[in-house]
Amino acid sequence: MTTPVSPVLREMRWWDIDPVLELEKDLFPEDAWSRGMFWSELAHSRGPEATRRYVVAEEGERIVGYAGLASAGDLADVQTIAVARDHWGTGLGATLLTELLRAATAFECAEVMLECRIDNIRAQKLYERFGFEAIGFRRGYYQPGNVDALVMRLTDPSTSVRGTEING
C-alpha cells in the first residue's frame, strides 16, 4: 500500500501558467483569469521590488491549488485562491491562505482585503475562520455573469494565522 502524497507549496513560476489556467477554467468557467493576467502578476513577484506572492500546491507532478496576493503600502489584497475539486475539504485552502497571510506579514501589511463571490459560501467560511470580516459588496463584480462580490477585511494578518487546524 502506498502512502498518499501531501501537496507541497512552492513559488509559482511562468511554466506553471498552463496547468494553473486549466484549473482556473475548471473552477471559474465564467470569469477565469487570462494567461496575460497571470503573466502580469508573476512579473511583479520576484526581486527586491516584488509586490506579489504567488504559490502553487503540487502533488507529485500535478498542480492541485494555487494562490496569489498583491501588496501596496500597508495594504494587501488576496487576488486568487483555488483548490482542485478533488482536494476540497482537505485543508489545502487553509494552507494556501496561511501562506498568503505570511506573505502579507513579510510585506509589512496592516490589513488584508479580498473579494469573494457572494455565492461561494465555502470560501467565506474559510476566510471567517481566519478572522476576515465582511465590510461591503461590489455589485456585478464578477463578469460576464454579473455576480456580486462580498468584500472582506482582516486587520493585523501577523496575529491572524489561525484556523488551519480545521480542515477547509
Side-chain angles (χ1 to χ4, degrees), residues 116-124 142 147-150:
C116 180
R117 283 178 65 109
I118 198 73
D119 57 358
N120 191 345
I121 304 303
R122 175 185 293 274
Q124 290 171 34
Y142 292 98
V147 177
D148 295 343
L150 179 65

Side-chain angles (χ1 to χ4, degrees), residues 52-157:
R52 307 289 194 275
R53 173 74 171 145
Y54 276 78
V55 296
V56 293
E58 199 169 39
E59 189 175 72
E61 298 291 316
R62 179 179 168 227
I63 290 177
V64 295
Y66 58 89
L69 176 111
S71 69
D74 66 351
L75 181 65
D77 192 83
V78 173
Q79 300 291 295
T80 187
I81 294 183
V83 174
R85 294 177 198 278
D86 62 339
H87 282 69
W88 286 2
T90 65
L92 182 54
T95 300
L96 289 164
L97 183 56
T98 297
E99 178 61 26
L100 295 186
L101 296 180
R102 285 186 183 126
T105 300
F107 284 131
E108 299 181 350
C109 295
E111 291 185 332
V112 179
M113 305 285 291
L114 62 82
E115 291 86 18
C116 180
R117 283 178 65 109
I118 198 73
D119 57 358
N120 191 345
I121 304 303
R122 175 185 293 274
Q124 290 171 34
K125 288 184 182 300
L126 170 66
Y127 301 138
E128 288 169 356
R129 280 203 330 257
F130 278 77
F132 281 85
E133 296 177 338
I135 60 168
F137 297 93
R138 295 191 196 276
R139 302 282 178 215
Y141 182 79
Y142 292 98
Q143 295 297 328
N146 202 37
V147 177
D148 295 343
L150 179 65
V151 180
M152 302 182 84
R153 176 179 59 208
L154 172 68
T155 54
D156 197 2

